[in-house]
């Protein structure tokens, strides 16, 4: 189970930020079709090289242990 801050929306935002930083930031295209072509090619490369499953290792047992051993604020 993923923690609440790691919702699917947060994950989608992280993916888009990483894609923009790697493939769009600082780019310049002469036409709409050039941008679309760049996006289609970049998507294939991004999926092949950077996209991979994320294994979450934090369990409820870990969380309960962390809560019981954390001093109050």
């Amino acid at each position: 189970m993923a923690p609440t801050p790691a919702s699917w929306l947060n994950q989608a935002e992280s993916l888009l930020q990483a894609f923009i930083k790697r493939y769009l930031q600082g780019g310049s295209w002469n036409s709409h079709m050039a941008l679309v072509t760049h996006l289609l090619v970049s998507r294939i490369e991004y999926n092949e090289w950077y996209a991979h499953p994320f294994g979450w290792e934090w369990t409820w047992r870990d969380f309960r242990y962390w809560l019981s051993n954390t001093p109050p604020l």
Side-chain angles (χ1 to χ4, degrees):
M1 175 172 214
T4 304
S7 72
W8 68 269
L9 184 56
N10 293 51
Q11 297 303 310
E13 288 173 349
S14 296
L15 171 71
L16 288 173
Q17 286 174 359
F19 187 87
I20 288 168
K21 193 174 278 191
R22 180 165 298 277
Y23 293 104
L24 298 178
Q25 208 164 38
S28 176
W29 298 273
N30 296 328
S31 68
H32 178 262
M33 187 50 86
L35 172 60
V36 170
T37 302
H38 174 75
L39 288 172
L40 292 174
V41 171
S42 300
R43 177 184 57 93
I44 294 168
E45 179 183 292
Y46 183 85
N47 285 338
E48 184 177 327
W49 288 94
Y50 302 106
H52 51 79
F54 177 76
W56 187 259
E57 297 179 15
W58 187 263
T59 65
W60 279 110
R61 177 180 285 168
D62 296 331
F63 180 68
R64 283 192 302 265
Y65 178 78
W66 178 79
L67 280 178
S68 66
N69 290 309
T70 303
L73 296 175

